[in-house]
């Protein structure tokens, strides 16, 4: 069994956030397999956000949101595993291990398909959107550096970047 | 259903902007309260934000590696160059003269620097590739562009519009395929400047005029100089150009029993070509067509339905009139099309209008209680 089962959610998520940074998001995305899952998680995270009285006291809202989402995910995962183990009690040891291994394999095939899909969505972008996105995300160039390379203002770089993200997001939606 | 989809895309766009603002260390820091307010508007907001974050990390892990850095930048630069200038490209077997001028210029640039001439070459090549059938220029909803043509004419393209440009030695042909455009025509008596729409043909020498394709037909307004307006399909193969400006001195047509096929318009005049033929003094006011290039919307005693229709041309998320009783409300004012709040605030002040923004991202207007 993985250590996830032994740790209470909060420290686990905390550690994930600290140790992995961006990986936390991958952790989330790997576990959100269908858009229905994503909607449920967002819905639940939303309800929890609404329960917080003084939202203005949250100093770092983005990591805070991720923490909530990761918590929700963790609970969903636990619940799914309970359902699974109830169903497969007759050979729990083997089956549960198997069930845990399975998404890993599935995940790889899925991630290859995702990669293909991402590649083709990136090709659909206009030359400027594509350049801005790849230069910033892959090459780590700042807005100013990109602005100089392409010969546009740095506020336009930001506009193109946001456009590119929105395009990818909209066109990957159908896939997930 | 359609509205919901548009609303989601709007939320996705805002999510992308929030996300980038968090990441932008040089820019203005995120206001946590404002973000919390945005985030808790609906579950869709939470979902879109999580999705864009996830996309970002996916791009980092699985994002494209199969590209050449130089090509990537060159392609973007070429696109930007294309956006600013439509190179003069001879149509068909036309004119060795212009080609020579291009190559001479290119040679000069070559002497200055290989990189520079490569760029020019790229832009010219892109122009040629595009303009076998003419260069097409398009604007998205909410986008406006001004393009300087190689003859010196300037073309302003309004939101959600499309034109095809074909410039030759003896002609300058523009097809307005949809939407609205303003033409500031560089004077050249040897190269008539002709704009063609589904309903009308508009011919100009040196002048500034506006052409809009509306549901009812084509609306033309002249800001400077004169144009000749013709119903499309009325065949007068050799229109005597000298007649432009000499016929009816005011440009207002004698409305006889005969259906009118041709009309001259002078500065300050307007007309529309509809299924009924050419109708003088129809269409948006000169004041309002002048205003759109300055990003203003001008309404004079228009119904709320018309005003909302006009606003909705500029933005993907829509203003919706829920209460049919409001549609006929008459409005006058000047607004910024990118700022619908100005209209909403105005409405709240003059009439008891209830404004609501449900999760679909649209702004709903209904009769308020006062």
């Amino acid at each position: 069994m993985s250590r996830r089962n032994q740790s209470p959610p909060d420290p686990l998520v905390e550690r994930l956030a600290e140790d992995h940074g961006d990986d936390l998001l991958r952790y989330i995305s790997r576990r959100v397999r269908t858009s229905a899952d994503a909607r449920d998680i967002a819905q639940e995270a939303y309800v929890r956000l609404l329960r917080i009285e003084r939202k203005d006291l949250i100093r770092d809202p983005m990591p805070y949101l991720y923490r909530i989402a990761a918590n929700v995910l963790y609970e969903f995962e636990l619940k799914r595993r309970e359902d699974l183990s109830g169903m497969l009690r007759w050979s729990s040891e083997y089956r549960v291990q198997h069930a845990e291994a399975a998404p890993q394999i599935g995940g790889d095939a899925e991630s290859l398909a995702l990669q293909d899909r991402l590649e083709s969505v990136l090709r659909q972008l206009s030359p400027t959107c594509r350049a801005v996105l790849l230069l910033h995300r892959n090459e780590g160039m700042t807005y100013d550096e990109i602005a100089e390379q392409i010969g546009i203002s740095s506020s336009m770089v930001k506009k193109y970047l946001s456009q590119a993200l929105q395009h990818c997001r909209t066109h990957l939606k159908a896939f997930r | 259903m359609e509205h919901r989809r548009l609303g989601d895309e709007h939320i996705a766009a805002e999510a992308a902007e929030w996300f980038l603002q968090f990441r932008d260390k040089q820019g203005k820091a995120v206001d946590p309260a404002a973000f919390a307010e945005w985030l808790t508007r609906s579950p869709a907001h939470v979902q879109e934000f999580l999705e864009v974050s996830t996309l970002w990390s996916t791009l980092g892990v699985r994002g494209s590696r199969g590209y050449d850095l130089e090509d990537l930048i060159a392609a973007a630069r070429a696109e930007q160059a294309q956006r600013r200038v439509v190179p003069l490209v001879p149509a068909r077997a036309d004119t060795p003269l212009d080609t020579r001028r291009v190559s001479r210029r290119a040679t000069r640039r070559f002497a200055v620097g290989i990189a520079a001439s490569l760029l020019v070459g790229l832009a010219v090549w892109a122009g040629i590739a595009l303009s076998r059938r003419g260069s097409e220029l398009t604007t998205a909803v909410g986008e406006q562009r001004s393009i300087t043509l190689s003859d010196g004419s300037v073309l302003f393209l309004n939101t959600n519009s499309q034109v095809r440009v074909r410039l030759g030695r003896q002609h300058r042909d523009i097809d307005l395929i949809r939407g609205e455009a303003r033409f500031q025509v560089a004077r050249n008596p040897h190269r008539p400047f002709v704009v063609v729409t589904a309903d009308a043909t508009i011919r100009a020498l040196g002048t500034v005029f506006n052409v809009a394709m509306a549901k009812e037909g084509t609306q033309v307004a002249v800001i400077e100089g004169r144009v000749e307006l013709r119903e499309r399909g009325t065949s007068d193969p050799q229109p005597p150009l000298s007649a432009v400006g000499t016929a009816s001195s005011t440009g207002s047509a004698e409305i006889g029993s005969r259906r009118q096929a041709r009309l001259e318009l002078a500065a300050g005049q307007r007309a529309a070509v509809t299924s009924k033929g050419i109708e003088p003094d129809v269409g948006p006011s000169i004041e309002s067509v002048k205003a759109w290039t300055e990003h203003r919307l001008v309404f004079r005693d228009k119904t709320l339905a018309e005003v909302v229709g006009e606003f909705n041309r500029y933005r993907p998320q829509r203003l919706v009139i829920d209460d049919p009783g409001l549609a006929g409300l008459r409005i006058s004012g000047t607004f910024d099309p990118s700022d619908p709040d100005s209209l909403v605030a105005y409405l709240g002040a003059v009439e008891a209008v209830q404004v609501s923004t449900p999760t679909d991202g649209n702004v709903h207007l209904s009769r308020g209680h006062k």
Side-chain angles (χ1 to χ4, degrees):
Chain A
M1 281 279 110
S2 79
R3 61 205 160 96
R4 262 170 303 182
N5 267 3
Q6 289 135 30
S7 337
D10 254 331
L12 161 84
V13 167
E14 220 95 52
R15 195 169 59 239
L16 275 168
E18 277 165 24
D19 294 354
H20 305 289
D22 262 6
D23 287 350
L24 172 61
L25 292 170
R26 244 176 294 140
Y27 167 87
I28 294 175
S29 69
R30 236 191 344 258
R31 272 153 189 81
V32 178
R33 284 182 198 87
T34 66
S35 52
D37 279 354
R39 250 202 316 280
D40 288 348
I41 285 156
Q43 174 78 43
E44 180 61 28
Y46 173 69
V47 169
R48 290 183 198 191
L49 276 171
L50 284 187
R51 272 193 225 127
I52 302 161
E53 298 251 311
R54 299 283 314 271
K55 292 178 191 69
D56 51 318
L57 294 184
I58 303 169
R59 225 176 326 138
D60 279 326
M62 188 161 76
Y64 193 86
L65 171 66
Y66 294 163
R67 230 166 36 231
I68 291 181
N71 276 336
V72 173
L73 262 166
Y74 178 76
E75 287 161 28
F76 275 37
E77 189 87 338
L78 274 188
K79 190 170 175 305
R80 187 162 60 202
R81 237 174 264 170
E82 273 166 29
D83 295 348
L84 202 65
S85 65
M87 239 162 55
L88 304 171
R89 211 172 337 175
W90 50 277
S91 62
S92 59
E93 196 68 16
Y94 171 77
R95 288 290 176 158
V96 170
Q97 271 172 10
H98 192 74
E100 201 172 358
Q104 211 55 44
I105 297 161
D108 282 344
E110 232 169 68
S111 74
L112 275 180
L114 176 62
Q115 185 141 20
D116 275 4
R117 176 79 189 168
L118 199 57
E119 205 62 61
S120 82
V121 169
L122 287 171
R123 270 197 300 273
Q124 290 164 11
L125 291 173
S126 76
T128 312
C129 278
R130 193 172 126 84
V132 166
L133 181 61
L134 292 174
L135 290 177
H136 187 57
R137 186 66 182 108
N138 284 13
E139 308 296 326
M141 285 167 69
T142 66
Y143 294 170
D144 288 345
E145 286 166 346
I146 296 170
E148 200 181 320
Q149 285 291 330
I150 297 180
I152 54 180
S153 71
S154 119
S155 69
M156 281 311 287
V157 170
K158 196 168 170 183
K159 281 213 182 87
Y160 278 112
L161 190 56
S162 151
Q163 235 174 60
L165 280 180
Q166 199 200 339
H167 176 92
C168 293
R169 166 74 189 96
T170 311
H171 288 80
L172 285 173
K173 213 180 218 170
F175 172 70
R176 269 263 291 281
Chain B
M1 207 58 211
E2 177 69 1
H3 282 184
R4 222 193 95 66
R5 204 173 55 76
L6 284 168
D8 272 4
E9 261 170 49
H10 172 59
I11 299 173
E14 287 182 341
E17 267 161 40
W18 277 114
F19 181 78
L20 289 172
Q21 208 190 324
F22 270 110
R23 293 192 40 85
D24 185 6
K25 299 288 178 269
Q26 262 112 53
K28 177 161 72 107
V30 176
D31 171 10
F35 176 67
E37 189 278 315
W38 177 84
L39 191 64
T40 51
R41 278 185 202 171
S42 82
H45 288 75
V46 175
Q47 186 179 349
E48 290 299 335
F49 191 83
L50 285 175
E51 297 271 11
V52 75
S53 317
T54 305
L55 169 69
W56 188 256
S57 81
T58 309
L59 279 168
V61 184
R62 299 186 211 290
S64 181
R65 301 270 181 266
Y67 58 86
D68 182 279
L69 206 55
E70 300 299 312
D71 290 351
L72 203 63
I73 293 168
R77 294 190 73 117
E79 187 190 32
Q80 293 302 322
Q82 183 69 16
R83 256 167 192 271
R84 284 187 284 266
V85 180
V86 177
L88 174 63
V89 178
R92 285 175 224 116
D94 264 349
T95 177
L97 192 131
D98 287 325
T99 322
R100 220 173 33 228
R101 196 178 299 154
V102 168
S103 56
R104 210 189 299 143
R105 193 185 306 148
T107 317
R108 209 180 304 141
R109 299 261 168 115
F110 185 77
V112 176
I114 293 169
S117 84
L118 269 179
L119 265 173
V120 169
L122 227 124
V124 170
W125 174 80
I128 289 168
L130 268 172
S131 45
R132 192 142 300 158
R133 285 179 51 244
S135 305
E136 286 199 355
L137 302 157
T138 309
T139 49
V141 173
E143 184 188 7
Q144 292 184 341
R145 270 167 77 177
S146 77
I147 301 111
T148 306
L149 304 181
S150 52
D151 69 338
S153 298
V154 182
L155 196 163
F156 298 89
L157 209 51
N158 204 351
T159 171
N160 192 20
S161 303
Q162 187 178 12
V163 292
R164 190 181 297 125
V165 180
R166 281 167 302 179
L167 300 181
R169 194 170 50 166
Q170 286 165 16
H171 62 90
R172 293 174 284 175
D173 292 339
I174 315 282
D175 297 336
L176 179 60
I177 298 163
R178 65 162 197 279
E180 178 169 17
R182 154 112 52 101
F183 304 94
Q184 186 181 314
V185 180
R187 193 177 170 81
N188 186 341
H190 306 296
R191 291 169 77 197
F193 192 99
V194 178
V195 177
V196 178
T197 72
D199 320 286
T201 305
I202 306 114
R203 196 180 167 90
L205 286 167
T207 177
V208 181
F209 64 105
N210 193 81
V211 181
M213 291 178 76
K215 249 184 276 151
E216 313 84 82
T218 297
Q219 301 163 337
V220 181
V222 179
I223 297 161
E224 270 175 49
R226 297 182 87 84
V227 306
E228 181 201 51
L229 175 62
R230 247 167 220 286
E231 203 179 335
R232 185 117 181 247
T234 42
S235 54
D236 182 354
Q238 284 301 356
L241 255 177
S242 55
V244 176
T246 58
S248 57
S249 57
T250 61
S252 58
E254 326 90 80
I255 301 159
S257 53
R258 213 155 33 90
R259 185 187 168 100
Q260 209 165 4
R262 180 179 161 282
L263 178 65
E264 290 167 25
L265 293 174
Q269 294 182 325
R270 63 202 166 122
V273 181
T274 66
S275 54
K276 283 182 267 168
I278 300 181
E279 299 181 74
D281 289 326
V282 171
S285 71
I286 299 291
E287 189 190 11
S288 68
V289 302
K290 272 187 187 165
W292 74 255
T293 44
E294 296 152 24
H295 302 272
R296 286 190 296 135
L297 291 179
V298 179
F299 300 110
R300 233 190 237 153
D301 197 29
K302 287 293 170 70
T303 64
L304 182 60
E306 287 173 287
V307 171
V308 161
E310 189 65 16
F311 256 89
N312 287 344
R313 288 174 65 197
Y314 292 88
R315 307 192 323 143
Q317 64 277 28
R318 311 181 73 77
L319 293 167
V320 181
I321 304 174
D322 283 343
D323 188 337
L326 278 179
L329 180 70
R330 304 203 77 92
I331 291 191
S332 298
T334 302
F335 303 97
D336 177 349
S338 64
D339 180 18
D341 293 347
S342 63
L343 174 65
V344 171
Y346 171 84
L347 288 175
V350 281
E351 188 85 354
V353 176
Q354 188 95 24
V355 181
S356 57
T357 48
T359 55
D360 63 3
N362 297 324
V363 177
H364 290 259
L365 307 173
S366 56
R367 220 182 258 285
H369 317 283
K370 258 187 192 169

